[in-house]
Amino acid sequence: MIRIDSVSKRYPDGTVAVDRLSLDIPDRAITVLVGPSGCGKTTTLRMINRMVEPSEGRILLDGEDIRDRPVNSLRRSMGYVIQNAGLFQHRTIIDNIATVPRLLGTSKRTAREQAAELMERVGLDTALARRYPYQLSGGQQQRVGVARALAADPPVLLMDEPFSAVDPVVRKGLQDELLRIQDELGKTIVFVTHDIDEAVKLGTMVAVLRTGGHLAQFAPPAELLSEPADPFVEDFLGADRGIRRLSFFASGELALETGPLVPIDADAERIATAASAPYVLVTDADGAPLGWAEPDRLVAGSIDKDQLLSCGRPFRPGTDSLRTALDGAVLSPTGWAVAVDGDGRAVGVVSQQTVGEAIRAAHDEHRTDAKAAG
Ligand SMILES: Nc1ncnc2c1ncn2[C@@H]1O[C@H](COP(=O)(O)OP(=O)(O)O)[C@@H](O)[C@H]1O
Ligand SMILES: [Mg+2]
């Protein structure tokens, strides 16, 4: 565990960048430091690998003051990733990634083999190995930065706004990739961002900092969204935190209705049994949803695909959250969301009202849990 123990940093010009910050950063989890620009995130991160020395307080790594560790061995145990990747422009991608293992004495051949494996791990085509950084997109360069930080297999990764300079679509891909890599590798990650959505998505624990390096709140993301500690945190979380909190509620318990599902080749009898539903969901031969129709407009043997209303965005019960289910229902022209399995086959439909009831039940359960815990 990394323990930040009442640490302050005053720069020589008098700026107090961090003010008596205490944080216990858990092992093998992603801890996010989030806050507005200039609130001391980078300073805090750099104190962990001693690129910046605290003015007061201490930082412990597994109980040992990091000042008692040789700085080289400390930094070797901590991969460091920054915005714009910070790659060596005159080295190929493969040699960028192999840099630290080479410095540590690994043979060129072994280091390159490991680097090629790392490229695959971070989702890079090994065909890019011999290129130079300027020949890669911003998103690809960030992946190289992550691979390079992982190359010496450090237990700790420090990441300073690593995805801030890429466009939203690429950014989402990088975030998903980081979560996947973390599932496999279980590093202790300290991740800095100014983007609260990124913090909530990636963090096991999230530390919200305010200007002057004060800790405003340190909590799991769901708790941050449900119980912001003060108006600053509430404001920072944004206006739609109620909706965003639904991302932490599972959709697996939603009661699905199967009555309104009608295959496109349904006979008159099958159509008749669905007639009591306000809308029916027509599915193709494999069971994939095609669209909605009013039951009395269906004629056996001649259901017209082009006449159907779009079924919007389906959700996967259990895998997707209540937020995705609600979104599906809100987007649907009928007000009903479509549930599909992993192969895209419709498994049922659910109304906005049912989703709404599930949301209320989840809130009640959360309140009961909170009472029992506290
Ligand atoms: N080397 C430095 N000398 C003086 N002030 C600095 C230095 N580095 C950062 N600061 C100041 O410390 C504060 C925190 O900076 P920083 O840790 O970079 O914040 P963040 O990463 O959250 O944007 C800011 O006011 C910044 O201007
Ligand atoms: Mg910064």
Side-chain angles (χ1 to χ4, degrees):
M1 187 179 69
I2 300 169
R3 166 166 286 177
I4 298 178
D5 183 13
S6 199
V7 163
S8 299
K9 176 64 189 181
R10 204 176 311 102
Y11 283 110
D13 67 358
T15 307
V16 178
V18 177
D19 188 20
R20 281 162 295 170
L21 179 68
S22 292
L23 278 182
D24 280 352
I25 294 169
D27 283 339
R28 303 174 79 79
I30 302 181
T31 299
V32 178
L33 308 180
V34 68
S37 177
C39 72
K41 304 180 294 293
T42 295
T43 301
T44 303
L45 200 69
R46 288 172 157 229
M47 286 193 288
I48 296 173
N49 69 2
R50 293 187 60 191
M51 288 167 77
V52 172
E53 296 289 351
S55 314
E56 277 154 40
R58 44 185 205 151
I59 298 177
L60 307 176
L61 179 62
D62 298 327
E64 192 193 351
D65 194 322
I66 57 171
R67 276 176 298 202
D68 298 336
R69 292 263 302 252
V71 79
N72 285 340
S73 95
L74 181 78
R75 290 198 191 141
R76 228 174 282 142
S77 71
M78 297 180 173
Y80 189 47
V81 189
I82 57 174
Q83 193 176 338
N84 296 320
L87 302 178
F88 304 116
Q89 295 300 324
H90 57 285
R91 286 192 198 157
T92 59
I93 298 311
I94 195 98
D95 287 337
N96 259 283
I97 298 171
T99 301
V100 177
R102 287 286 290 138
L103 285 175
L104 297 177
T106 308
S107 76
K108 193 164 195 164
R109 187 175 160 175
T110 309
R112 283 189 170 167
E113 278 168 12
Q114 289 168 350
E117 281 170 31
L118 276 166
M119 286 185 74
E120 284 173 15
R121 190 180 281 290
V122 299
L124 279 173
D125 190 337
T126 48
L128 303 173
R130 301 278 161 200
R131 288 206 194 168
Y132 288 87
Y134 76 90
Q135 294 169 312
L136 265 54
S137 71
Q140 288 170 330
Q141 291 189 34
Q142 282 310 142
R143 288 177 198 264
V144 178
V146 174
R148 189 178 59 178
L150 290 170
D153 197 21
V156 177
L157 269 190
L158 306 178
M159 308 183 81
D160 193 353
E161 309 234 14
F163 309 149
S164 293
V166 296
D167 68 68
V169 175
V170 172
R171 186 171 193 175
K172 181 180 181 301
L174 289 166
Q175 292 166 345
D176 292 341
E177 199 76 19
L178 179 67
L179 288 173
R180 196 184 54 70
I181 292 170
Q182 172 64 357
D183 263 355
E184 291 169 9
L185 300 183
K187 301 287 182 187
T188 301
I189 300 180
V190 188
F191 188 105
V192 162
T193 180
H194 61 265
D195 177 349
I196 188 65
D197 286 313
E198 185 164 74
V200 164
K201 174 171 176 180
L202 296 180
T204 312
M205 291 293 287
V206 177
V208 184
L209 300 177
R210 58 201 303 172
T211 310
H214 300 282
L215 180 64
Q217 188 166 7
F218 187 46
E223 187 181 320
L224 215 60
L225 288 165
S226 62
E227 288 148 57
D230 61 25
F232 168 79
V233 178
E234 188 168 1
D235 194 45
F236 195 67
L237 285 166
D240 53 352
R241 70 182 167 87
I243 299 285
R244 302 207 338 250
R245 190 174 163 230
L246 299 180
S247 306
F248 296 95
F249 293 159
S251 63
E253 307 270 291
L254 280 174
L256 303 177
E257 293 184 43
T258 53
L261 301 186
V262 170
I264 189 147
D265 55 1
D267 57 20
E269 193 186 341
R270 179 70 193 81
I271 290 173
T273 60
S276 63
Y279 287 96
V280 297
L281 183 75
V282 178
T283 60
D284 71 11
D286 297 322
L290 289 172
W292 295 97
E294 288 167 34
D296 54 7
R297 303 188 58 171
L298 295 183
V299 180
S302 64
I303 297 177
D304 182 357
K305 269 199 248 183
D306 298 331
Q307 297 281 314
L308 302 173
L309 295 173
S310 152
C311 56
R313 184 146 39 108
F315 73 100
R316 281 179 63 185
T319 306
D320 287 328
S321 66
L322 274 186
R323 181 180 178 176
T324 311
L326 179 66
D327 203 48
V330 170
L331 283 174
S332 164
T334 62
W336 291 62
V338 177
V340 294
D341 64 15
D343 298 319
R345 282 186 295 256
V347 293
V349 297
V350 60
S351 68
Q352 277 180 16
Q353 193 187 344
T354 303
V355 178
E357 282 158 12
I359 291 169
R360 278 196 295 281
H363 279 299
D364 287 346
E365 205 168 293
H366 178 86
R367 270 193 290 273
T368 316
D369 287 353
K371 248 185 226 153

